[in-house]
Amino acid sequence: MTTLSAEAQVYLLAGVWGLLALVPLLVSPVFSMVGAHGLRIDWHVSFEAFQDIIATGRWLVILRTCGMASLVTAICLASGFPFALWLALKARNPALLTLVWSLLTIPFFLDPAARMLVWRSVLGSSGMINAALLHLHAIHAPLQWLLFSDFAVAFGLVGSYFPNMVMPIYLAISLIDKSLLQASADLGAPPAATLRHVIVPLAMPGIVVGTIFSFVPIMGDGIVSNILGGGNQAYLADSIMALSNAMNYSGVAAATMCLLGLSGFLLALLYIAMRRALPGNGHGFGQ
Amino acid sequence: MGMALANNNAQFRQAALRQVRSQRVASALAVCTGLCMTALVYAPVLWLGVLSVSGDPLGGFPGDFTWRWYRALFAQVAWLAPLLLSVRIALLVAVLCMAGATLAGRVLPRMRRTRRLLLACFLLPLAIPGMVIGLNVFIFYRVFGGLRMGLWSLVLVHLVGAFPFALLGLMVVSLRFETSLLEAAADLGAGPWRRFWDIERPLLMPGIVTAGMFGFLLSLTELPRSLFVAGHLRTLPLYIWAEASSRASHLPLIYCLNTMLAVVSTAISVTAVLALRARLRH
């Protein structure tokens, strides 16, 4: 401990972290571009795995997944931003604040499969909602689209990733210097103008982080789609799992690269669009 | 002139009132959506508890409340070995998270030039889906190391998933740390170890505890990363996953098991949040 300076220790830790945790992530780019048979590699450049994605129609699955992830992220953002705003600026009661904070933290520590399993018994054809609707004579036959459908997947995903969106935005807004908001009001800006010209630009890092933390994991979530989607390989994660079970690892790597590349591309687009839409070219970045 | 001023004043007051009213409506709307979404997050967890004491949890309505499924769960022990394995891994991950987060988190706020790069490198896994990490770790070590998956690979992927959160938890505390205390201690002749043990350790303790709890809980409930690197081992979430997808008749027992797991997780995370907030208020 005394022989290494504190900073040297951090570099050492980062080095070990990089070797053990980050280097394995290079598997995806490498495996997607060499001819691999199972776990054996032939070292020559080949884009067969990517061609397979087009030939087998997997690109449609990828598009569907993108659509679903965008929809769920948009729902989370639209409902999460106002909530985070209220939480950071209006909620004065510390006990309430602690309660909401705990409520938003706890879901990170719950078994993801368990929560989705429960929805089956609620949404299923003999589940609670159908039983109730049948009992009330609102419907004559159980609603089939409630479970094993896109609706069920969207429903499960929104419930799973809402906290990922709210937490970073809440943190970003609560770090804004409150005297700026007062100054804006004193200068005669109506609340809407303060929101648009002061709060949103300063909260932008939180919005970007929240969007990344929900969009990217949603793109790769195989658990919700497996349990609520019925597992007919409708989404990219199901596809990746099936490819892995078939030991087609170059296929896995190519699909993963598409996932990461598309996520990065869409998030970059979103980032640019947001900067364009904001006055003052996004102050609050890089500070 | 006086009339106009009074008129103006009244108009101004009305506009202000309208503004306050619309702000109230917006606030109420925001709270409503937020609480609805939070309810959506929690409904399945609470429902899990209801179903676990319900006589026919697979039918439409819960009812005929009974402890039968809990008794059945405790009558068999198939879940005990996965639970013990999960706890063992979680404890290991918790210790590693505490040590690593303390080591990096106390110094990172003080590093000027490389702070961003290092932080990005530690937080990178947050932006990669869990399943992708699990698969990549499996392929990498299997192909380039020829290694068989086992305890080490489970600990590794859990650590990759949990460490960024642990580091963030610690940095919530360490970002507010008064570095002048360390300079004062150095001026008084305290060595690096003494400075760490007598000053930083006690002041950062809530963050260190939080890092450990994050590590423990995230590892205990980790599923997507574990799916591919478990080898022949079975953690509790893997056991639940396999049982749920293979035998529907076991579902009531799974509900009980998950309810207990949720209660334990909730208790530990509430403690962590309370510890962090208590420190933030000072």
Side-chain angles (χ1 to χ4, degrees):
Chain A
M1 198 89 187
T2 45
T3 51
L4 274 177
S5 79
E7 299 204 353
Q9 289 168 27
V10 178
Y11 286 122
L12 190 68
L13 184 73
V16 173
W17 173 258
L19 273 180
L20 291 179
L22 303 185
V23 168
L25 297 177
L26 294 174
V27 159
S28 290
V30 171
F31 257 68
S32 64
M33 288 186 283
V34 298
H37 298 285
L39 288 168
R40 237 186 33 249
I41 308 181
D42 302 331
W43 287 106
H44 65 266
V45 176
S46 137
F47 294 99
E48 227 173 283
F50 287 104
Q51 284 157 5
D52 273 356
I53 286 181
I54 295 172
T56 55
R58 278 225 163 78
W59 62 276
L60 276 171
V61 174
I62 294 176
L63 278 188
R64 271 171 61 87
T65 311
C66 266
M68 174 61 84
S70 307
L71 174 73
V72 174
T73 307
I75 294 175
C76 286
L77 182 60
S79 54
F81 183 81
F83 188 50
L85 193 66
W86 173 81
L87 213 55
L89 297 181
K90 288 271 155 57
R92 294 258 178 271
N93 187 342
L96 176 75
L97 215 55
T98 306
L99 179 72
V100 177
W101 239 79
S102 316
L103 284 177
L104 290 174
T105 314
I106 293 166
F108 286 105
F109 307 124
L110 296 173
D111 187 348
R115 287 189 285 163
M116 295 307 118
L117 274 175
V118 171
W119 284 128
R120 270 193 182 175
S121 74
V122 176
L123 301 173
S125 57
S126 64
M128 197 188 58
I129 290 179
N130 271 320
L133 288 176
L134 283 172
H135 187 75
L136 293 170
H137 299 289
I139 52 172
H140 301 294
L143 298 174
Q144 296 298 336
W145 52 266
L146 279 178
L147 186 61
F148 302 137
S149 61
D150 290 345
F151 167 80
V153 174
F155 193 73
L157 286 172
V158 168
S160 298
Y161 290 101
F162 181 66
N164 291 34
M165 182 66 87
V166 176
M167 292 289 257
I169 300 181
Y170 164 73
L171 280 176
I173 298 179
S174 63
L175 287 175
I176 295 175
D177 189 349
K178 300 298 174 293
S179 58
L180 290 175
L181 307 182
Q182 192 56 52
S184 171
D186 289 348
L187 290 171
T194 305
L195 180 67
R196 186 169 136 74
H197 295 275
V198 181
I199 298 176
V200 173
L202 287 174
M204 196 46 82
I207 296 172
V208 170
V209 169
T211 307
I212 294 175
F213 282 8
S214 29
F215 186 83
V216 179
I218 290 171
M219 285 286 285
D221 190 308
I223 287 163
V224 174
S225 62
N226 192 296
I227 294 182
L228 296 180
N232 42 9
Q233 289 196 41
Y235 294 100
L236 185 55
D238 305 328
S239 235
I240 293 180
M241 261 195 225
L243 283 167
S244 151
N245 288 338
M247 296 200 31
N248 180 354
Y249 292 114
S250 51
V252 167
T256 305
M257 285 315 286
C258 290
L259 191 163
L260 295 177
L262 259 175
S263 302
F265 177 69
L266 287 177
L267 290 169
L269 274 187
L270 182 79
Y271 179 81
I272 292 167
M274 278 178 165
R275 283 188 72 138
R276 282 266 170 78
L278 285 173
N281 260 336
H283 287 301
F285 282 114
Q287 285 167 14
Chain B
M1 181 74 185
M3 267 296 266
L5 205 65
N7 204 5
N8 233 346
N9 209 358
Q11 258 177 2
F12 179 74
R13 275 237 303 275
Q14 219 165 23
L17 263 176
R18 213 175 312 131
Q19 210 171 71
V20 167
R21 212 173 301 135
S22 66
Q23 234 179 331
R24 277 217 187 109
V25 172
S27 267
L29 214 67
V31 176
C32 276
T33 17
L35 292 183
C36 282
M37 297 297 273
T38 313
L40 190 62
V41 176
Y42 279 91
V45 185
L46 298 176
W47 203 240
L48 198 67
V50 173
L51 288 181
S52 75
V53 291
S54 162
D56 177 22
L58 304 177
F61 289 102
D64 176 24
F65 293 110
T66 166
W67 293 106
R68 173 160 89 230
W69 304 117
Y70 282 94
R71 277 201 296 275
L73 183 69
F74 284 108
Q76 56 137 311
V77 287
W79 50 275
L80 201 59
L83 173 68
L84 288 178
L85 175 67
S86 270
V87 170
R88 228 166 71 210
I89 295 173
L91 285 173
L92 256 171
V93 172
V95 170
L96 290 172
C97 274
M98 277 161 86
T102 309
L103 207 151
R106 77 192 175 93
V107 187
L108 275 174
R110 279 183 259 150
M111 297 171 81
R112 286 277 160 254
R113 267 173 305 161
T114 45
R115 175 171 64 181
R116 275 158 173 279
L117 179 74
L118 285 173
L119 202 57
C121 148
F122 284 125
L123 300 187
L124 181 70
L126 286 180
I128 297 170
M131 226 180 67
V132 171
I133 291 180
L135 264 167
N136 280 4
V137 165
F138 163 70
I139 298 174
F140 179 80
Y141 288 101
R142 194 82 192 76
V143 173
F144 300 106
L147 295 169
R148 297 216 159 276
M149 297 297 119
L151 193 66
W152 67 272
S153 56
L154 279 169
V155 171
L156 177 64
V157 293
H158 288 194
L159 194 63
V160 172
F163 184 66
F165 286 102
L167 184 62
L168 286 176
L170 195 120
M171 285 185 66
V172 166
V173 179
S174 71
L175 277 171
R176 288 159 195 251
F177 183 80
E178 204 58 66
T179 35
S180 57
L181 290 174
L182 293 179
E183 284 156 25
D187 288 345
L188 293 172
W193 175 252
R194 197 102 237 125
R195 289 197 299 258
F196 167 71
W197 192 256
D198 285 349
I199 298 171
E200 285 184 287
R201 185 191 54 92
L203 286 176
L204 297 181
M205 199 38 95
I208 300 175
V209 172
T210 307
M213 284 175 174
F214 280 10
F216 183 82
L217 288 172
L218 287 169
S219 163
L220 194 67
T221 56
E222 162 55 42
L223 177 59
R225 291 170 189 81
S226 312
L227 278 172
F228 304 96
V229 300
H232 63 281
L233 295 176
R234 250 191 185 184
T235 63
L236 191 62
L238 283 173
Y239 170 80
I240 290 173
W241 172 257
E243 287 287 298
S245 48
S246 63
R247 275 176 289 189
S249 60
H250 278 203
L251 225 45
L253 303 188
I254 297 302
Y255 288 158
C256 294
L257 205 51
N258 270 323
T259 305
M260 294 193 297
L261 198 60
V263 169
V264 173
S265 285
T266 307
I268 300 180
S269 38
V270 165
T271 317
V273 169
L274 287 180
L276 261 190
R277 287 207 75 87
R279 172 47 54 103
L280 284 182
R281 236 172 277 140
H282 290 310

